[in-house]
Amino acid sequence: MTGLDRAGDDRERDRAGDRDRAGMDRAGTDRTTAAPGPGAAPGPVQHWGHGWRRPLLASGMMVFPALTAVAVGGTVSGAAAVAGYAVVVAFCLCYALLALALGLGRRRWTVSLLAMMTALFLAALPFAHEDAFFLATVVVSAVAIQWREHAARVVAAGTLAALVVPWAVRPWHTGPGGFQALALLFTSLTCGAFAGIAATNDALVAARAEVARLASEAERNRIARDLHDLLGHSLTAITVKSRLAQRLAGKDLDLAVAEMAAVETLSRQALSDVRAAVSGYREVTLAGEIARGRELLRAAGVVADLPTAADAVAPGERELFGWVLREGITNVVRHARAERCSVLLTATSVEIRDDGAAAARSGPGGPGGAGGTGGTGDGRGNSGAGDGKGLTGLRERVAAVGGTVEAGPLDPRGWRLLVTVPPGGPGPAGPESAGPDAAGPDPGHEGTT
């Protein structure tokens, strides 16, 4: 190969690397813009009843004191009219303070101001007669907004009073206050319904923020789990093939070069898988994992007894079984020191067996190390805390479809990993299948990938 050829190959590799990096940048950008977190700017649903709209909506109730003021001018005159106007003005000031108290959440002020407004309404009765019940409309509406549990009784009492009082007070020379009663009834009901809708809207906004937070957390957990599973397999294969190429370098240079070329291919594939995991569009196939597992076992010097096809497995289970195969074979290569590995596929289960030494994969807590019940270990005879991420991720995937995980040593030597799913397709994971004990004894060597 000439220097010019090597330079051309180097440039091509650099361009491929640039494309991979650009793809990862785009994937990260797409993920950020597609799933805004809880700290994102609020949408219109969050502030349509807040800000400058709140005093605008509240000012609409001032039409009722205005109607009462007009009635004062038509009912009395002279000093009595001045006194009536003063009562209406005082009522308006109390209402403005009430709107401010409601905006600030001062409940104690609210009660005091409503009591004062009720007293001013009673004081306006001699000056405005039945039209003074327009002031009662404001009071009852405020109660319906602030104390919705008592709204029905207060509205009924106010409506009845607007009907009966003008008829019962003979000097007013008027009949039942039908118009005032209707105004009080429908205005207060509308205000109460508006308050209920606003409270529901606030609850929905809070729920949406919580859902966004949980979705963001679930996405982070998914990416962490997938990156662990992807890189654990790929880096193990790269390590094995690099060591093989190093051993072959002094014996067969062509084979060593071929192994290093495979290392480059694996590196590019790992980068592509990471980019796909970040963007959320990665697909694992059972047939692909069978081929990868066979190649990885061959490079590690382990005799592979793997099925040649995945036709026995239902299409809905193939991705899950692909993940199980990737996790199990990676652990065999890493920790088993086995000479032979076999995989058995059925319609509802996948079983991985090897003839490695079980003691090498057991921590101080007994067989299984990190996975043993109540035991700890890292799967290589070293103490550790809890299950490894590989085991945890595998449990989560299997529990999501209502399946079970069984793992443990074989007699006289070896290890078995068995994953079983319910027949007839995946089902919801119940409390028993999702719990820590439902997965059976934990494989110590699985806890370290």
Side-chain angles (χ1 to χ4, degrees):
M1 179 181 292
T2 65
L4 184 59
D5 293 335
R6 286 194 296 272
D9 291 341
D10 291 340
R11 284 195 299 271
E12 179 61 28
R13 282 193 293 269
D14 291 341
R15 284 195 294 270
D18 292 339
R19 288 194 297 271
D20 290 337
R21 287 190 293 272
M24 291 189 69
D25 292 339
R26 286 193 300 272
T29 302
D30 293 342
R31 177 59 56 191
T32 302
T33 56
V45 69
Q46 289 180 278
H47 59 73
W48 68 278
H50 300 278
W52 60 268
R53 296 171 178 82
R54 183 183 291 271
L56 180 63
L57 294 171
S59 64
M61 297 295 290
M62 296 297 289
V63 68
F64 295 106
L67 292 174
T68 303
V70 172
V72 168
T75 304
V76 296
S77 61
V82 172
Y85 289 139
V87 170
V88 174
V89 170
F91 186 92
C92 292
L93 291 176
C94 289
Y95 174 71
L97 292 175
L98 176 66
L100 179 62
L102 289 175
L104 297 177
R106 303 296 178 87
R107 189 179 183 90
R108 185 174 58 182
W109 293 7
T110 302
V111 175
S112 301
L113 288 169
L114 281 174
M116 294 175 60
M117 291 169 64
T118 302
L120 290 170
F121 152 67
L122 295 175
L125 285 172
F127 305 106
H129 295 177
E130 71 275 7
D131 288 329
F133 279 93
F134 288 125
L135 301 182
T137 299
V138 179
V139 176
V140 173
S141 298
V143 172
I145 291 174
Q146 192 67 13
W147 294 279
R148 292 194 300 276
E149 64 275 13
H150 304 300
R153 291 190 293 271
V154 174
V155 170
T159 303
L160 184 62
L163 286 172
V164 173
V165 171
W167 170 79
V169 180
R170 296 298 182 180
W172 291 1
H173 301 289
T174 182
F179 178 72
Q180 292 77 8
L182 289 176
L184 188 150
L185 175 64
F186 289 106
T187 301
S188 56
L189 289 179
T190 301
C191 290
F194 176 83
I197 292 173
T200 303
N201 180 68
D202 290 340
L204 289 175
V205 169
R208 186 177 68 174
E210 179 66 12
V211 168
R213 186 190 68 80
L214 293 175
S216 177
E217 182 178 348
E219 181 69 2
R220 286 195 298 268
N221 291 336
R222 181 194 70 82
I223 291 176
R225 182 186 66 193
D226 288 357
L227 288 180
H228 170 269
D229 292 344
L230 291 166
L231 293 181
H233 172 86
S234 300
L235 294 180
T236 299
I238 289 172
T239 302
V240 171
K241 285 184 173 292
S242 298
R243 289 177 178 174
L244 178 60
Q246 189 177 18
R247 292 198 302 267
L248 292 174
K251 302 176 182 178
D252 192 330
L253 186 58
D254 291 337
L255 285 178
V257 170
E259 292 296 333
M260 291 308 299
V263 168
E264 181 183 9
T265 301
L266 284 172
S267 300
R268 293 189 181 280
Q269 182 62 41
L271 184 60
S272 176
D273 288 345
V274 169
R275 183 174 67 246
V278 172
S279 61
Y281 293 106
R282 177 192 37 75
E283 180 181 0
V284 172
T285 63
L286 180 56
E289 293 306 318
I290 291 175
R292 288 187 183 186
R294 183 178 288 107
E295 176 64 19
L296 180 58
L297 292 171
R298 182 198 65 79
V302 179
V303 177
D305 182 11
L306 274 63
T308 58
D311 298 339
V313 181
E317 314 291 355
R318 290 178 185 175
E319 182 178 359
L320 173 62
F321 284 7
W323 282 111
V324 174
L325 208 60
R326 171 176 290 193
E327 179 70 20
I329 291 180
T330 300
N331 286 316
V332 169
V333 173
R334 278 189 174 183
H335 312 299
R337 298 199 293 271
E339 297 180 358
R340 186 180 186 87
C341 175
S342 62
V343 174
L344 176 63
L345 286 175
T346 69
T348 59
S349 67
V350 55
E351 183 181 37
I352 303 174
R353 291 172 174 253
D354 65 73
D355 59 356
R361 291 170 280 183
S362 299
T373 304
T376 60
D378 66 354
R380 292 168 290 185
N382 303 321
S383 62
D387 297 335
K389 289 183 172 57
L391 176 60
T392 302
L394 187 60
R395 276 179 168 173
E396 291 174 355
R397 295 181 192 278
V398 176
V401 298
T404 59
V405 178
E406 299 178 16
L410 295 173
D411 189 21
R413 58 181 286 121
W415 199 271
R416 184 188 74 152
L417 170 65
L418 174 64
V419 171
T420 305
V421 297
E432 298 175 356
S433 63
D437 298 332
D442 302 340
H445 67 298
E446 287 179 339
T448 62
T449 62

